[in-house]
Amino acid sequence: MGDAKVIPFDDDRDRSRGAAPAGQSRTGQRARRRGARTGQSAPLTTVPGQQGPGEGDGPGKGGAGPSEAAEDRHGAEQRFGDADGAGSRGEGPASGGEDAAAKGALGGLVARLLGDDWEDRAARGLAFLRRRVTGEYEVDDFGYDRELTDQVLMSLLRPVFEKYFRVEVRGIENIPADGAALVVANHSGTLPLDGLMLQVAVHDHHPADRRLRLLGADLVFVLPLVNELARKAGHTLACAEDAQTLLGRGEVVGVMPEGFKGLGKPFADRYKLQRFGRGGFVSTALRTGAPIVPCSIVGAEEIYPMIGNSRTLARLFGFPYFPLTPTFPWLGPLGAVPLPTKWTIQFGEPLPTDDYPPEAADDPMLMFNLTDQVRETIQHTLFKLLVRRRSVFF
């Protein structure tokens, strides 16, 4: 061992003679040279892929070899470099995963709040706004805007229908799947919310996706803003000409013959039908051959219990009546909030009119009999629904 030769070592010779064997590092070779000078044997190196005893337990117990330490230092430098470089800019894999996780969590929160189909509804909403801006929508000669009614007005009325009044609809199949029909209903509630709820009932519950065109009083088409909304929603003036035109087109037309007499009657007379006018709706049905569908609405009478009528204020504002209720006008705007009563809307069996001759529309006795028949059917159904009702609010 004393006359052992020292083998020179440098990078140039290694590159000219070939790379060092796998698993040998510069530190190990230098240790072997020092052992050759001092007469000590150099420490053994481990075979790549194998681990000697005590390795991996730390420096005091054999620890990791120099090459592994160098690799650890290289990995640490690379990690710090990523943190200072691409990772700090959100371009590294970890940052991309965090962004994806954040987007996923945000998407899940939006889906829980708005529903799973919120993206489709948002796209439809943007398309709707674009058509509104560009004017690419249709309005009929009565001012009916079907797209606005379906997507906006019904969306605003539907929560009131389903959550506030919790309307139960019965006999909706009595409205024909196609062709004209005249729906005749009772009228009450101080404000005409029953007409709006009747429109939602036909729109949302009819299996053939029918639409109801309501006939309104003159006052509806005189009030600012109300006039425009009523026209957009498909309402038209309660006259024989408009009703006959709509029925001739095969529409479902709704009429409330009691008018203001039913809408503004005292709370003590609730669910007692008033006079149905002169039977003009029967004449219109006979001329067009449209069936008459009687409809009974329970629950609207109690939303604004009318305990008085200020005739002075009614004349001052030009209204047919000015209601006084337990909450209005004493509580101001808060008193205009309706009570959350439980509603039931029931459609009766249709009364056919196409069996009568054309001249039957001019027979006053026949019109009186048919009008009275429809009125009695609605009144009898109201009494049956009231007997079965458990409570005004439940």
Side-chain angles (χ1 to χ4, degrees):
M1 297 294 292
D3 56 354
K5 296 181 179 179
V6 177
I7 301 175
F9 179 84
D10 55 31
D11 293 339
D12 294 336
R13 292 182 181 180
D14 286 343
R15 284 192 294 269
S16 63
R17 296 177 183 178
Q24 294 184 5
S25 63
R26 295 181 181 180
T27 307
Q29 293 176 1
R30 289 171 183 169
R32 284 195 298 274
R33 289 200 300 270
R34 287 195 300 269
R37 294 191 187 99
T38 58
Q40 297 177 356
S41 59
L44 297 176
T45 60
T46 59
V47 177
Q50 298 182 359
Q51 187 176 11
E55 292 181 3
D57 296 333
K61 297 181 181 181
S67 61
E68 295 177 0
E71 291 175 359
D72 292 340
R73 286 195 303 273
H74 178 69
E77 292 173 358
Q78 186 176 6
R79 287 192 298 272
F80 283 115
D82 291 340
D84 296 335
S88 64
R89 295 189 299 270
E91 299 174 359
S95 177
E98 293 175 357
D99 291 345
K103 291 179 180 178
L106 180 60
L109 177 61
V110 173
R112 285 194 298 269
L113 294 176
L114 303 180
D116 294 334
D117 59 340
W118 69 272
E119 293 182 348
D120 294 337
R121 289 189 285 111
R124 291 195 300 268
L126 292 176
F128 170 79
L129 293 177
R130 179 185 62 80
R131 289 191 296 272
R132 291 284 122 183
V133 173
T134 59
E136 299 176 0
Y137 58 91
E138 296 181 358
V139 177
D140 69 3
D141 51 347
F142 288 97
Y144 176 43
D145 190 337
R146 178 164 180 164
E147 183 184 41
L148 179 67
T149 301
D150 292 348
Q151 297 194 21
V152 178
L153 299 182
M154 289 295 109
S155 298
L156 295 175
L157 293 174
R158 191 170 292 116
V160 181
F161 181 92
E162 296 178 351
K163 305 299 183 181
Y164 197 78
F165 293 134
R166 295 148 290 147
V167 182
E168 180 183 356
V169 181
R170 302 177 182 178
I172 189 67
E173 66 279 359
N174 288 319
I175 298 178
D178 54 10
L182 182 63
V183 178
V184 182
N186 60 305
H187 205 15
S188 62
T190 306
L191 290 180
L193 297 182
D194 53 355
L196 299 177
M197 297 300 103
L198 181 62
Q199 188 176 7
V200 178
V202 176
H203 182 279
D204 288 359
H205 292 269
H206 198 278
D209 197 28
R210 303 297 307 264
R211 302 293 188 273
L212 181 67
R213 307 291 296 270
L214 283 172
L215 303 179
D218 299 352
L219 180 62
V220 175
F221 302 98
V222 173
L223 298 175
L225 183 62
V226 176
N227 172 29
E228 293 294 328
L229 290 176
R231 290 290 185 184
K232 294 290 186 182
H235 305 174
T236 188
L237 191 63
C239 62
E241 292 77 11
D242 288 358
Q244 189 168 338
T245 300
L246 290 173
L247 290 174
R249 297 177 182 178
E251 299 278 0
V252 178
V253 179
V255 61
M256 296 176 168
E258 291 179 281
F260 290 120
K261 299 187 301 295
L263 192 62
K265 64 176 176 288
F267 185 67
D269 295 335
R270 59 191 180 278
Y271 298 113
K272 297 178 182 178
L273 295 185
Q274 304 299 303
R275 183 171 174 267
F276 268 24
R278 295 185 298 271
F281 68 93
V282 173
S283 176
T284 303
L286 289 172
R287 294 182 189 279
T288 58
I292 299 175
V293 181
C295 178
S296 303
I297 304 175
V298 168
E301 294 274 15
E302 295 89 1
I303 59 174
Y304 296 112
M306 186 170 167
I307 58 177
N309 178 19
S310 177
R311 300 182 185 277
T312 302
L313 292 177
R315 287 194 299 268
L316 178 63
F317 292 106
F319 295 157
Y321 58 90
F322 190 91
L324 302 177
T325 73
T327 58
F328 182 83
W330 331 113
L331 299 182
L334 185 62
V337 178
L339 297 179
T341 59
K342 177 72 171 62
W343 287 34
T344 301
I345 299 179
Q346 179 162 332
F347 298 91
E349 295 183 1
L351 177 66
T353 61
D354 53 355
D355 295 336
Y356 295 93
E359 60 271 13
D362 298 323
D363 186 351
M365 199 64 188
L366 176 61
M367 285 194 299
F368 176 80
N369 290 334
L370 291 177
T371 301
D372 191 61
Q373 181 180 351
V374 173
R375 183 180 179 278
E376 289 300 322
T377 300
I378 297 174
Q379 183 70 81
H380 183 65
T381 305
L382 287 175
F383 287 153
K384 289 195 301 183
L385 293 175
L386 289 172
V387 169
R388 296 173 184 173
R389 184 171 66 166
R390 296 180 302 171
S391 169
V392 173
F393 300 100
F394 303 102

